[in-house]
């Protein structure tokens, strides 16, 4: 029997082995299959529809603010929000709309009833002047839908002690600290709620720098509670993700709101005030004699005419807002009310509603060192950009206005929205 080796096998006319021929055929088929699949994939990419909107849970997140359902019966009587009103001034307009609606339905705050209202508790000193925001909040929280008389259903607890009333009664800083500490110690011993979170679901409101100092006698108040303050400076212990910046609003406003009047604004920039900070001293020294910037190193004397200071806002494009003794200034909300683009000139300042509103859409935010180039910076802003800033400014005016009773989207509701966002991070 003769054994034939593989090398001896041959095909007539081919000269190659069957094994090699089989491998070649398989390789050819594989290459053709790959090319076919590649072509089909490429073609499907070209003809496939755009991707669906981002989905968070079951909520679609488009890029603009959709119209609200008009069937929602809101006794505040506020206008229905539209896409045009909200597409430019919010970081996340749809998130704001949805969260705001959820807040209105569910958010509850318990106000501790302790303390004599005739002294420093429960009621505001007044709702006028540059510290009116504290007074309005004390009044609004009682008039709002958010108050609950059942502490077991509360999301947050309000400590209703007014440092503005202490200041009005001439209480010293040292005594303020003692009064605050004794009051909070009484709440801790009487109620079980503080000890569940060491106060992290509690908040207090103060719109004067003495209020910040008065609460410093209790380290836990500073570390744990939500501080709603008018002087939110990063370099003095303010914690942006925990604390809340309270807008300092000088109410009642002397004149009606400005806006939609860009043709009347012929002055480039305006500031008049006391030189009670380094940045104000520099601002006055560098620019008080300039012919295009209206800069005065003192407040305008009332003897020059009725409401001269306020009327300057109506004629000015950009209103300079340097920090005073604190980073904040009521001039910012004055500018917003009168339709003058605020120029923020204050370092370490957590602007009110900064995590909701895009301030660069309706204000000019600068560093203090930019004061030396202030005029050129303002002159370099194109007219089209100024008009856009002005139009957006009109859209946010409602957020910097206090009302009694509170009105949807006003300053009170914006503060409540900030508190609503923060209460979600509290864990028992």
């Amino acid at each position: 029997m003769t054994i034939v080796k593989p090398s001896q096998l041959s095909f007539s006319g081919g000269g190659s082995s069957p094994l090699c021929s089989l491998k070649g055929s398989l390789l050819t088929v594989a290459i053709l299959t790959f090319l076919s699949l590649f072509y089909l994939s490429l073609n499907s990419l070209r003809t496939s529809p755009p991707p669906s909107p981002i989905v968070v849970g079951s909520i679609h997140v488009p890029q603009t603010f959709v119209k609200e359902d008009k069937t929602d019966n809101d006794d505040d009587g506020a206008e229905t929000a539209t896409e045009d009103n909200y597409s430019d001034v919010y970081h996340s307009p749809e998130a704001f709309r949805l969260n705001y609606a959820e807040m209105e339905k569910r958010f509850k705050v318990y106000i501790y009833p302790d303390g004599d209202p005739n002294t420093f508790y429960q009621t505001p000193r007044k709702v006028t002047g540059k510290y009116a925001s504290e007074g309005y909040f004390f009044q609004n929280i009682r008039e709002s839908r958010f108050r609950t008389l059942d502490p077991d259903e509360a999301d947050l607890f309000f400590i209703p002690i007014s440092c503005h009333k202490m200041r009005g009664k001439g209480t010293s800083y040292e005594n303020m600290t003692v009064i605050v500490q004794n009051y909070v110690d009484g709440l801790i011993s009487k109620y079980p709620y503080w000890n569940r979170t060491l106060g992290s679901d509690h908040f207090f409101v103060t719109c004067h720098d003495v209020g910040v100092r008065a609460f410093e006698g209790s380290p836990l108040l500073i570390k744990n509670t939500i501080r709603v303050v008018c002087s939110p400076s990063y370099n003095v212990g303010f914690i942006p993700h925990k604390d809340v910046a309270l807008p300092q609003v000088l109410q009642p406003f002397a004149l009606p709101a400005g806006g939609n009047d860009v043709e009347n604004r012929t002055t480039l920039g305006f500031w008049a005030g006391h030189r009670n900070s380094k940045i104000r001293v520099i601002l006055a020294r560098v620019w008080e004699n300039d012919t295009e910037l209206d800069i005065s190193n003192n407040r305008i004397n009332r003897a020059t005419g009725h409401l001269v200071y306020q009327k300057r806002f109506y004629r000015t494009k950009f209103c300079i807002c340097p920090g005073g003794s604190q980073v904040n200034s009521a001039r910012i909300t004055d500018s917003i009310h009168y339709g003058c683009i605020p120029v923020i000139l204050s370092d370490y300042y957590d602007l009110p509603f900064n995590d909701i509103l895009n301030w660069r859409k309706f204000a000019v935010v600068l560093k203090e060192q930019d004061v030396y180039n202030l005029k050129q910076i303002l002159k370099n802003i194109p007219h089209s950009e100024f008009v856009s800033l002005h139009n957006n400014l009109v859209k946010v005016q409602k957020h910097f206005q206090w009302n009694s009773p509170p009105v949807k989207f006003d300053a009170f509701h914006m503060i409540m929205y900030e508190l609503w966002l923060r209460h979600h991070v509290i864990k028992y």
Side-chain angles (χ1 to χ4, degrees):
M1 181 176 179
T2 304
I3 299 175
V4 180
K5 296 181 180 181
S7 58
Q8 294 177 307
L9 293 173
S10 63
F11 288 87
S12 60
S16 61
S17 69
L19 184 59
C20 292
S21 177
L22 180 60
K23 287 182 178 180
S25 299
L26 291 175
L27 180 60
T28 301
V29 171
I31 291 172
L32 291 174
T33 302
F34 173 79
L35 291 174
S36 299
L37 291 173
F38 177 79
Y39 174 80
L40 291 173
S41 300
L42 184 61
N43 189 55
S44 65
L45 287 174
R46 290 174 176 171
T47 59
S48 62
S52 301
I54 300 171
V55 176
V56 179
S58 60
I59 301 173
H60 292 273
V61 184
Q63 295 301 311
T64 55
F65 201 170
V66 299
K67 292 184 178 180
E68 291 184 353
D69 185 359
K70 293 184 178 181
T71 60
D72 184 13
N73 185 15
D74 186 354
D75 56 8
D76 286 336
E79 294 181 1
T80 299
T82 63
E83 176 181 324
D84 179 64
N85 288 335
Y86 291 91
S87 59
D88 292 332
V89 296
Y90 294 92
H91 293 299
S92 302
E94 179 69 358
F96 174 68
R97 184 183 71 85
L98 294 171
N99 281 323
Y100 188 98
E102 189 73 7
M103 172 196 74
E104 287 189 310
K105 294 177 183 177
R106 303 184 184 279
F107 195 28
K108 296 298 178 183
V109 172
Y110 179 75
I111 306 173
Y112 282 111
D114 301 66
D116 181 5
N118 294 321
T119 53
F120 317 119
Y121 313 100
Q122 304 299 332
T123 58
R125 174 186 172 192
K126 59 181 181 179
V127 290
T128 58
K130 61 182 179 180
Y131 302 115
S133 293
E134 177 180 320
Y136 268 104
F137 186 89
F138 270 72
Q139 183 170 302
N140 284 175
I141 188 68
R142 299 180 181 283
E143 302 170 324
S144 74
R145 70 182 70 188
F146 304 111
R147 185 185 183 185
T148 178
L149 300 179
D150 181 2
D152 290 327
E153 72 172 13
D155 300 296
L156 291 180
F157 295 80
F158 177 40
I159 303 173
I161 184 168
S162 174
C163 295
H164 193 209
K165 289 178 69 175
M166 292 185 196
R167 178 175 177 268
K169 293 179 180 292
T171 308
S172 67
Y173 287 118
E174 293 75 15
N175 287 338
M176 283 185 183
T177 301
V178 174
I179 291 170
V180 169
Q181 184 63 62
N182 290 341
Y183 181 71
V184 174
D185 285 346
L187 299 181
I188 294 173
S189 62
K190 184 176 179 179
Y191 301 93
Y193 309 109
W194 175 281
N195 293 320
R196 297 185 307 185
T197 64
L198 288 180
S200 63
D201 57 353
H202 287 56
F203 71 94
F204 65 87
V205 177
T206 182
C207 194
H208 197 283
D209 52 352
V210 298
V212 176
R213 294 180 60 179
F215 281 86
E216 289 177 348
S218 175
L220 279 181
L221 279 173
I222 302 300
K223 178 177 180 292
N224 289 355
T225 60
I226 302 171
R227 297 187 292 165
V228 184
V229 297
C230 278
S231 50
S233 179
Y234 294 132
N235 62 344
V236 292
F238 181 87
I239 305 173
H241 67 272
K242 176 179 74 71
D243 301 328
V244 176
L246 181 67
Q248 188 175 17
V249 185
L250 182 60
Q251 284 193 219
F253 293 109
L255 294 171
N260 302 314
D261 52 3
V262 294
E263 66 281 354
N264 298 329
R265 299 181 180 275
T266 56
T267 302
L268 178 63
F270 166 63
W271 176 78
H274 295 313
R275 293 182 291 177
N276 58 347
S277 67
K278 180 180 178 181
I279 184 59
R280 292 187 178 191
V281 170
I282 297 173
L283 176 66
R285 187 180 70 239
V286 175
W287 299 110
E288 64 179 330
N289 296 318
D290 191 85
T291 58
E292 294 179 271
L293 294 176
D294 183 5
I295 305 296
S296 303
N297 64 4
N298 286 296
R299 292 197 176 179
I300 298 174
N301 194 315
R302 292 183 180 179
T304 61
H306 184 58
L307 299 177
V308 171
Y309 174 76
Q310 289 83 356
K311 291 175 181 177
R312 295 277 184 92
F313 284 87
Y314 287 135
R315 302 197 302 266
T316 306
K317 293 181 178 180
F318 300 98
C319 288
I320 318 305
C321 302
S325 57
Q326 300 290 325
V327 294
N328 55 296
S329 171
R331 187 173 282 98
I332 296 174
T333 51
D334 280 347
S335 302
I336 293 172
H337 174 77
Y338 293 116
C340 184
I341 308 302
V343 179
I344 311 300
L345 204 58
S346 184
D347 294 342
Y348 311 114
Y349 186 13
D350 187 59
L351 290 162
F353 319 135
N354 197 32
D355 51 350
I356 307 169
L357 301 176
N358 186 350
W359 275 78
R360 296 184 184 277
K361 293 291 187 177
F362 60 89
V364 178
V365 183
L366 303 177
K367 300 176 182 178
E368 289 186 1
Q369 67 186 27
D370 293 327
V371 65
Y372 299 100
N373 302 314
L374 179 61
K375 184 170 75 170
Q376 196 58 49
I377 291 172
L378 298 181
K379 292 185 72 172
N380 287 343
I381 297 175
H383 180 72
S384 59
E385 183 178 344
F386 161 68
V387 172
S388 177
L389 290 169
H390 179 82
N391 291 339
N392 286 335
L393 186 69
V394 174
K395 296 176 185 178
V396 302
Q397 283 176 332
K398 64 170 72 70
H399 296 320
F400 297 90
Q401 169 77 46
W402 293 92
N403 302 282
S404 184
V407 174
K408 190 172 184 176
F409 295 120
D410 67 359
F412 170 74
H413 281 86
M414 293 295 282
I415 291 297
M416 295 305 294
Y417 181 77
E418 292 277 24
L419 291 169
W420 164 256
L421 294 180
R422 281 154 178 76
H423 101 275
H424 284 289
V425 303
I426 299 169
K427 303 297 182 183
Y428 295 109

